[in-house]
Amino acid sequence: MDMPRSIQGPDSADAPRRRKPIDILMRSPLGRLFKRSGISPRQASSDSLLDLAGALLSLRGKASGPALASAFFELYEASDMAARHAFLAQVHDLHPRDAEAIDRAIAAWQQSRDDAAAQALNAASESPSQRLIRMLNLAPQGTQRLIAMRSDLLKAPQKSTGLKALDRELEDAFTAWFNAGFLELRRIGWTSPASLLERIIRYEAVHEIAGWDDLRRRVEPVDRRCYGFFHPQMEDDPLIFVEVALTNALPSGIGEIIAEERTTIDPRQASCAIFYSISNCQEGLRGIPFGNYLIKRVVGLLQAELPQLETFATLSPVPGFARWLAQEQPEGAVVPAGDELRALAARYLTMARGRGGQPLDSVARFHLGNGARLEAVHARADMSDNGLRQSHGVMVNYVYDLDEIEANHFALNELGTVAASRAVQVLAEGTTETGGKGRKAA
């Protein structure tokens, strides 16, 4: 019996031949624009992407910038990941800075030392990759497409010198474009657009949102808040968001905050604002500092709305603790529980160091680096699969005391001292060496 045409095998004579991305592009109106400009990209996908990038850099003023940038992205997005990675690995090195132009600009500067010579030197020393990034941003949704391109770059299996250089160029561009002053702080609630709420469910990175009912419990009650940073070019697609619980005390476990059954309190009676989940939404913006600005802005909003609030704190995971403890303990050792586990976590957070003498734990590094104080350590605080896997269920509170933030930041970065409450210090000092194969804590 004949198979329907839609499911015939790949060897069928009647099966349509899959057209290459470049064929699709060159048959489009944008392809005709290229032909009028005398551009004929090669058939291999990575080579044709390089051809189009070269055209963008060399044909300024000869064709519409937005149209050329759009044509490039149409081809890029139609190409497979191997072709994308091949392009990203080569484009920076194929378009180096113009050494002769830089030499001429340096000579002009040494001769006149005026503003015109300085501007000429700046223009001559600019990387062509920087110029290409700006030109690609002219395409429709160019910013989002560049973010997606960097996300592809970060997934590349091998990081060549050229790939690393292009990554730095993209990160520098995004750092300027996504300056906190350009971002809109917006409250996200149950009445927000459905497309935005769907993204919140998908982007949540700390405590999984198990569907619409779970999301509603986090954003609709009067004692719950959610805020996000948005860019003007990315409406309803947050860059980062934070979930906040208004409480009467520091929580000792995530269940107190996201439980299905709990007692709602009047926000005007709350004494604590607890930041219990911060999620970065765009992989392509990795390394761009949003979180510290977001927390400071949200604190300001909450102080204005609820001036009776006394404590701004977190309930935070300890994502590196289980890995560190496995290295510190003898092979096959039983993971301790209760106060002993809390003491080891306190030692890890106050003494374990990574690069540059900074706290080894990524979440601790973020909050302590922003001037927070490590206030309390809790066992059996997150008994989810993820919580047990990364921290044996331990969670901690970091407190943002607005009068101490600058001093805490100085102590960490200049003195190497972690700001911690007396209770945490006693916990950390009371631990004994766990022995075994691990590296030293500090």
Side-chain angles (χ1 to χ4, degrees), residues 324-331 433-441:
W324 173 84
L325 187 58
Q327 295 173 326
E328 291 291 304
Q329 289 187 305
E331 187 172 354
E433 291 294 328
T434 55
K437 59 183 180 178
R439 58 175 179 262
K440 294 181 179 179

Side-chain angles (χ1 to χ4, degrees), residues 240-387:
I240 186 173
F241 66 90
V242 60
E243 296 166 70
V244 186
L246 302 174
T247 69
N248 286 320
L250 288 180
S252 59
I254 192 61
E256 299 172 35
I257 292 176
I258 63 175
E260 292 187 25
E261 301 294 334
R262 66 173 187 84
T263 302
T264 302
I265 68 170
D266 183 341
R268 294 168 297 181
Q269 302 302 317
S271 59
C272 302
I274 306 300
F275 302 86
Y276 67 92
S277 178
I278 302 175
S279 297
N280 286 289
C281 306
Q282 311 293 332
E283 174 64 16
L285 292 177
R286 186 196 300 174
I288 311 302
F290 298 127
N292 54 342
Y293 298 114
L294 178 62
I295 289 176
K296 291 174 183 176
R297 291 279 299 277
V298 171
V299 166
L301 278 183
L302 291 172
Q303 284 181 316
E305 180 190 355
L306 303 168
Q308 86 285 351
L309 290 174
E310 300 174 352
T311 302
F312 297 90
T314 77
L315 180 63
S316 298
V318 191
F321 178 50
R323 183 172 56 252
W324 173 84
L325 187 58
Q327 295 173 326
E328 291 291 304
Q329 289 187 305
E331 187 172 354
V334 176
V335 175
D339 288 345
E340 186 179 355
L341 184 65
R342 292 174 57 237
L344 288 167
R347 177 171 172 248
Y348 164 67
L349 291 167
T350 58
M351 300 180 186
R353 293 291 189 269
R355 292 182 180 178
Q358 292 294 304
L360 182 60
D361 189 83
S362 60
V363 174
R365 190 163 59 245
F366 171 78
H367 289 297
L368 296 170
N370 287 332
R373 177 179 72 245
L374 178 58
E375 185 69 13
V377 180
H378 308 288
R380 299 185 61 81
D382 181 3
M383 301 303 286
S384 68
D385 290 344
N386 186 55

Side-chain angles (χ1 to χ4, degrees), residues 146-203:
L146 281 167
I147 291 172
M149 178 183 287
R150 184 169 184 247
S151 181
D152 292 340
L153 184 155
L154 293 172
K155 297 172 186 172
Q158 294 182 337
K159 299 297 190 293
S160 64
T161 302
L163 202 67
K164 291 178 181 178
L166 180 61
D167 184 37
R168 287 193 297 271
E169 305 280 15
L170 284 165
E171 185 172 346
D172 287 346
F174 292 155
T175 299
W177 298 350
F178 290 89
N179 180 289
F182 298 150
L183 305 182
E184 175 191 357
L185 179 62
R186 192 188 309 172
R187 183 171 173 182
I188 301 165
W190 186 241
T191 59
S192 296
S195 59
L196 170 56
L197 295 178
E198 287 176 343
R199 290 187 174 103
I200 296 300
I201 293 174
R202 185 169 70 251
Y203 289 150

Side-chain angles (χ1 to χ4, degrees), residues 206-254:
V206 183
H207 303 292
E208 181 182 3
I209 299 176
W212 290 101
D213 289 340
D214 191 6
L215 175 65
R216 188 169 192 168
R217 289 192 293 270
R218 301 195 194 191
V219 300
E220 186 182 46
V222 294
D223 59 353
R224 294 293 181 266
R225 299 284 192 276
C226 182
Y227 299 92
F229 263 152
F230 295 80
H231 191 273
Q233 296 296 320
M234 301 174 66
E235 187 176 357
D236 289 341
D237 195 359
L239 308 177
I240 186 173
F241 66 90
V242 60
E243 296 166 70
V244 186
L246 302 174
T247 69
N248 286 320
L250 288 180
S252 59
I254 192 61

